[in-house]
Amino acid sequence: MEKSSSKVLHITLWIVQVLLGAMFIMAGGMKSFQPIPELAKMLPWAGAVPSGLVRFIGLSELLGGLGLLLPSLLRILPNLTPLAAWGLALIQVLAALFHISRGESSVIGMNLVLLLLAVFIAWGRTKKVPILTKIA
């Protein structure tokens, strides 16, 4: 029975990793490369903060999304996956605090969902079903 529940958790973690990774790759790529005036039409805060901060957040999200996927997929340094998940969780905490400081508390629900999903990946890939390193 333990092996069956472990397999279900492993599959669930992969699904969450792929979805969250894709979301952060897309959002991070957009914040990293899209012109700020265009980005500010979708994300008003992007026009209200220094462009360097927007690009830093975007690059952090892009690298975090890649970190959720590539180390585990390639089985090369897979212990980087939980670290990427913790990093993305931190980004969500900071994003929620930022939105609260701007009086945008109505939008922090998404930050909390993303935070919980990232913590789930970090916990699962650290404690329950870690990805093993590829043996040469």
Side-chain angles (χ1 to χ4, degrees):
M1 188 69 163
E2 178 67 31
K3 188 169 178 127
S4 173
S5 65
S6 178
K7 185 172 180 141
V8 169
L9 181 58
H10 180 69
I11 292 168
T12 303
L13 281 163
W14 266 117
I15 292 168
V16 174
Q17 275 178 253
V18 168
L19 293 175
L20 200 62
M23 194 279 315
F24 275 112
I25 290 167
M26 184 179 69
M30 190 172 65
K31 290 173 192 141
S32 296
F33 303 113
Q34 193 168 31
I36 298 295
E38 291 296 314
L39 190 60
K41 290 177 185 175
M42 293 179 286
L43 306 169
W45 65 265
V49 300
S51 61
L53 178 59
V54 176
R55 301 303 187 206
F56 174 75
I57 292 167
L59 187 58
S60 299
E61 290 178 347
L62 179 62
L63 292 174
L66 291 171
L68 287 181
L69 299 173
L70 293 180
S72 291
L73 282 171
L74 300 174
R75 292 178 39 192
I76 298 172
L77 298 174
N79 57 324
L80 292 178
T81 293
L83 293 176
W86 284 121
L88 291 169
L90 176 61
I91 289 171
Q92 293 312 303
V93 169
L94 296 173
L97 293 172
F98 173 76
H99 289 302
I100 289 169
S101 77
R102 289 178 43 94
E104 302 168 342
S105 57
S106 63
V107 300
I108 66 168
M110 181 59 99
N111 297 120
L112 295 176
V113 168
L114 297 174
L115 167 69
L116 291 173
L117 292 173
V119 169
F120 172 67
I121 293 168
W123 166 80
R125 290 303 182 202
T126 303
K127 303 286 184 194
K128 291 295 186 178
V129 280
I131 302 288
L132 300 177
T133 302
K134 185 191 320 188
I135 299 171

